[in-house]
Amino acid sequence: MIQSLLIANRGEIAIRIARTARRMGVVVYAVRTKKEPDALYLSAADVVVDFPDTELPVSEFLDIGALVKLAVDNEIEAIHPGYGFLSENAGFAAACKKAGVIFIGPPADVIDAMGDKIKARAYAMESGVNVPGGSKTPLTSVDEAKTLAEKIGYPVIIKATAGGGGRGMRIVSIPGDMQLMFSQATSEAQNAFGNASVYIEKYIENPKHIEVQIVADNHGNVIHLGERECSVQRKHQKLLEEAPSPALDSRLRKKMTSAAVALAKSIKYKSLGTVEFLLDKNGDFYFMEMNTRLQVEHPVTEMITGLDLVELQILIASGAKLPVKQQEVKFQGWAIECRINAEDVQAGFVPSMGIIRGIRLPQGNNIRIDTGVRPGSEITPFFDSMVAKLIVHADSRAEVIEKTLKALRQFHVKGVKTTIPFCKAVLHNPLFRSGYFDTSFVETAMDSPVHREPQEEFLAALLSVYAQTHNTTPITSDEVQIDPWVLKKRIRNF
Amino acid sequence: MIQSLLIANRGEIAIRIARTARRMGVVVYAVRTKKEPDALYLSAADVVVDFPDTELPVSEFLDIGALVKLAVDNEIEAIHPGYGFLSENAGFAAACKKAGVIFIGPPADVIDAMGDKIKARAYAMESGVNVPGGSKTPLTSVDEAKTLAEKIGYPVIIKATAGGGGRGMRIVSIPGDMQLMFSQATSEAQNAFGNASVYIEKYIENPKHIEVQIVADNHGNVIHLGERECSVQRKHQKLLEEAPSPALDSRLRKKMTSAAVALAKSIKYKSLGTVEFLLDKNGDFYFMEMNTRLQVEHPVTEMITGLDLVELQILIASGAKLPVKQQEVKFQGWAIECRINAEDVQAGFVPSMGIIRGIRLPQGNNIRIDTGVRPGSEITPFFDSMVAKLIVHADSRAEVIEKTLKALRQFHVKGVKTTIPFCKAVLHNPLFRSGYFDTSFVETAMDSPVHREPQEEFLAALLSVYAQTHNTTPITSDEVQIDPWVLKKRIRNF
Amino acid sequence: MKTTNTKRLIATGKNKERYSFTVKNRYEYNYKKEKLVVELIDEPDGFTILSCNGVRYPVEIVSRRQNHYEVLVNGVGYSFAVETPFSLNRNKLLASLNPGGRVETITSPMPGKVLDILVEAGQQVQKGEPLLILEAMKMQNSILSTVSGQVVKITVAKDENVAKGAVLIEIK
Amino acid sequence: MKTTNTKRLIATGKNKERYSFTVKNRYEYNYKKEKLVVELIDEPDGFTILSCNGVRYPVEIVSRRQNHYEVLVNGVGYSFAVETPFSLNRNKLLASLNPGGRVETITSPMPGKVLDILVEAGQQVQKGEPLLILEAMKMQNSILSTVSGQVVKITVAKDENVAKGAVLIEIK
């Protein structure tokens, strides 16, 4: 069994991984960076190691050499990459292996096969899973793109070969747009993945986004842990997820989970992974991509199965056999995850940077909060804008929607604007409640991106009048000024 | 109208006074002491003034000369004494007047008349209010006490002439106990009030403690704001109050409130005051004492009347006429106040000293929390152990009990033990719920001083096993050690 | 001593929603003849609570420019201008005398790099129409027009790095 | 690699209430054959949450002396001794060999001044009986006996100032 673990990540996921690892008796190491030397995730570890000074202009958690060296120098047995950063980087997995460090994830060749989205399409087809018509090789020119698009029929979608997570994607509905979209997609792909290569696929219009969680050990056992419904998206970014999906009946669920397991088996998958599907209006589903890591939304699966996915990752990486068989996996109730991001929804979801001045967490049973911030934490342009994930579990979909709404009404963040009012608006929306929503939901079905509680506008007017009467000074301000929180941090660090 | 105000007090009441005064546009001054130089109440003021260095071994908020000088030197128009400390000190009121500072409270002669409990008994009788049989002058010896006790009949109660708030009180049931109780009462009275003088009264066994809030302006207008039920007491210390009282019908309410108003009129009372009564099982009531200040439990009256008692105090002290007539006072619904003290109820209500490491406040409408602490605040032997007051308002007694219980379940304090589990036990108690309880309730009617939520004991066992398995270090400890919070404060102050 | 004074204050929102209060002695509020018990409470966990007749909401006053307020109630942003009936009428009058309307500035909501500018000076744009693409936090964000009107001026260039609050485009 | 091991751990409270768990691999808990998903979570506001199958309670581990735990669940104090079946039996055996029982010390729950001592050495006292009067925070507090037994020793004198945790009286 693995005895020590370096978490090559930060924020809520570092804390979440540390929690399980420490519960299992594994000694947990976290990496301190200059960008956030007193971040909350550091307090979740047994040992904190400092990231060394380097000349490289690369983010600490993307620096393969330095991270592997930290593990070797500190005699740490294994590395957990979390999500994002190096979690799907085959080179990182290979470098770990070479250095004698256990990489918690699938082997490098599997990451590589699934990371190249064109190769992944080919493997999916081989294992009998439908894929949308499209490229067999990366596009070399706009003209090639146009020719292929004519063949498979518009609309098509341009995707980054090395992509994932929505970046480098563009939908093209008419030939005239191809030039602009092709150049935007390649430049974004280059920025995001260091690889400008793109390909095209037939664009499935307004599908549902359904993904299947699979787990495979090193002994050939593969099981699935059901599906997650991730259709509430904006610009291919997931905003709210649930498990199970209201769109699947047991027949379709069986077909989709079997397809995911078949794919995993055919590529000799090991560790935790997610097979993402597009489900169209006819109930036909197509392979989209496979994520070879822990997902942000993994807690909803944990809630309904009672299994700890990080525990399974550590056990598998230790060489253990899967502790549960497929028929022992029991699915209970319904779970929803809300991503509470620091974004100004009313201004078009732009990041809302600043300092968290206060957090009020909802309280109650079967409410889980995964967060990496505390009062005083700063939301910076360095990292993503996630403040917390709120995960709620109840017996039925109707109940979990009400319970999540109640929790959101008790969840308050001061200092930055968050997506809490947006999540409320989703959960109040009749189409969402009906279950018949698809990935066009956020853009087409929401009257307002925020939900307003009764009397809110009246109270805002009253507050303005009160402030005018009392000459109240704003608590936060647009003006550039030294903030006491920032000052305090500066004094401490320099 | 008063334009500036010095608060000669600390903690939650200083904050509560500042809130109203600032709302009214009054500039608020708070006093910083060496004992708690970064207390929360200081942040509620417009201006913070430092208490000067003195040689006197007296508490800052008992130092008449220094406080009056602070007001004069800073050209502050008025002083609010809060409760406790100098709030019922006639000498303070006189010193303020002499210095040209408005004392927010009744004139010195009225404080004096009601402060001397024997004089107060005489005034009550004059105005036609029943008093229990007893002393007409202070006791000069144990023998005198015994003679008088024989005359009025045992049991009797010894009380401090300068007393109030339960200190210096002793009940004597048999002549043999008189010697011990007399000496305990005089020594406690000396300690608490600097005046050993005591008197005796017929002891009304197991009465209800009901008090009537009255308000009088400087123009002869006197109204009452209904009663408060304060029978949930331990050693004469109020623990949980409500308004109205479940024991009063409209006839009895009219009699008691009329008696309170009559007393106030007969002594030419001015400002806010409370007339405390003992109500026996026959529905007869007796004058106990009058408090010439704001009470700790004043918020329950504010909840059911919608009036702000501090605002009334400031208006009256400014010379304004009462803004409401008796018939305009509307009583709506029911309110409960729970005193959340830092006490170890399971160890017999001993003070639980230490540092507040976290506070979770209940959220919701019609829930009010008055508190003077925040995470990092220390509960010290210097001051009382109050952490917060939780005040809840609802339409009916049954509803407010449930709503308060719900709020208590969401109210958590980390770092010290509090009376939260005790307050829950009171609210769950069938006798309390029936309304037929009296001042013997806490000592005789409660099976357990704490309420245990379902599964608590099981979870405590599980936590112990978990801690043993993981070698978890205690978060707090009995051992003497430097606490990071304390260290931080030391570094800051020295 | 001050004399008692009662005045009317009118809060007007972006979409012309209007709430009219009477304020007596600077702190007694009435709305549609109903008395409001209003308190602004700083709680120990850092939150500010607006309490109105027992209804409690976490609020923030984000910014104030003279009589213009940006506030958050429950995390939702609202803008109100607070005026007396006199100033309200004067502003209406001024607006009617200056039918050309006023220039709205589109500012950068965050620091970032201008990747692309999608409009030209002189062009008519609709409210909600994308004006330019700003790259920040590794994402490309469209900056949308907050008003309908004509683009008067573009104050940034492609590939320029801009600070938070920098003026990007003026629309009249 | 460690080998899988399952052991039984029994938590015994002050009133002999007993809960028996099996623990596999040091982290898989079972109670009465039911699997428990247990997590101890440090939340960002400073609270520690014990989560068991989704039931969440704020807890504190107040003190630990070897296998004896003082914990708070929801602010209510509990004491448990955690033992294996083997050590439990051994302790029972030891207790039966030493029928005289062990000495309980009554300690001061806070700093204060001893105002009065109400018992004498040799005297029999009942659990809950007042032993002495301690003045602290301007209040007189009765210190009650936590056990029934005989007063062995009084280690403080009247008017003495005592620190928190000071031994006041020993009872056997």
Side-chain angles (χ1 to χ4, degrees), chain A residues 160-271:
Chain A
T161 306
R167 282 180 285 180
M169 282 192 195
R170 287 293 183 283
I171 297 149
V172 190
S173 305
I174 51 165
D177 288 350
M178 184 64 88
Q179 176 81 53
L180 175 68
M181 294 303 180
F182 184 84
S183 77
Q184 280 190 5
T186 49
S187 91
E188 201 169 294
Q190 177 66 40
N191 276 335
F193 313 108
N195 180 347
S197 165
V198 296
Y199 67 102
I200 66 175
E201 246 180 31
K202 172 74 187 165
Y203 178 59
I204 314 285
E205 275 183 281
N206 302 341
K208 273 175 113 34
H209 176 134
I210 311 276
E211 59 188 30
V212 175
Q213 178 71 58
I214 67 103
V215 199
D217 65 18
N218 301 348
H219 310 278
N221 303 303
V222 185
I223 62 171
H224 72 84
L225 302 182
E227 81 283 2
R228 291 187 288 262
E229 163 67 73
C230 308
S231 304
V232 179
Q233 301 185 347
R234 185 181 167 276
K235 295 189 175 177
H236 305 287
Q237 299 292 327
K238 295 167 189 164
L239 295 166
L240 186 148
E241 301 96 344
E242 59 184 303
S245 165
L248 269 51
D249 57 20
S250 59
R251 191 193 56 83
L252 185 53
R253 178 169 296 120
K254 178 126 189 70
K255 276 172 75 178
M256 290 179 86
T257 54
S258 302
V261 169
L263 172 60
K265 282 191 170 159
S266 84
I267 59 171
K268 301 208 170 8
Y269 197 82
K270 295 179 183 71
S271 191

Side-chain angles (χ1 to χ4, degrees), chain B residues 302-322:
Chain B
E302 295 187 325
M303 294 299 241
I304 64 164
T305 61
L307 294 168
D308 180 328
L309 300 196
V310 173
E311 180 185 327
L312 294 179
Q313 284 186 305
I314 294 175
L315 287 175
I316 291 168
S318 298
K321 284 192 181 174
L322 273 183

Side-chain angles (χ1 to χ4, degrees), chain A residues 29-30 107 141 156 188 231 238 241-242 279 294 314 395 404 433 463 468 482:
Chain A
Y29 291 71
S141 67
V156 299
E188 201 169 294
S231 304
K238 295 167 189 164
E241 301 96 344
E242 59 184 303
L279 175 66
L294 193 65
I314 295 174
D395 287 342
T404 308
R433 284 171 171 248
L463 175 60
Q468 176 81 358
I482 294 202

Side-chain angles (χ1 to χ4, degrees), chain A residues 22-23 360-361 363 410 412 466 470, chain B residues 22-23 360-361 363 410 412 466 470:
Chain A
R22 295 181 72 186
R23 182 167 62 81
R360 288 195 174 172
L361 301 175
Q363 302 174 19
Q410 298 183 341
H412 302 291
Y466 187 97
H470 287 82
Chain B
R22 293 180 74 185
R23 181 168 61 82
R360 287 195 174 173
L361 301 176
Q363 302 174 19
Q410 297 184 342
H412 303 290
Y466 187 97
H470 287 83

Side-chain angles (χ1 to χ4, degrees), chain B residues 85 153 197 208 271 297:
Chain B
F85 295 121
S197 166
K208 273 174 117 27
S271 190
E297 60 272 23

Side-chain angles (χ1 to χ4, degrees), chain D residues 64-76:
Chain D
R64 173 186 180 170
R65 278 189 216 114
Q66 285 144 10
N67 63 329
H68 286 80
Y69 292 87
E70 301 279 336
V71 302
L72 297 182
V73 180
N74 249 333
V76 178

Side-chain angles (χ1 to χ4, degrees), chain B residues 89-91 93-94 97 106-116 119 123 267-270 292:
Chain B
N89 187 304
K97 191 171 183 190
D109 60 335
V110 173
I111 298 177
D112 188 51
M114 293 296 110
D116 181 323
K119 276 195 210 164
Y123 280 112
I267 59 171
K268 299 203 169 19
Y269 196 83
K270 294 177 182 72
T292 58

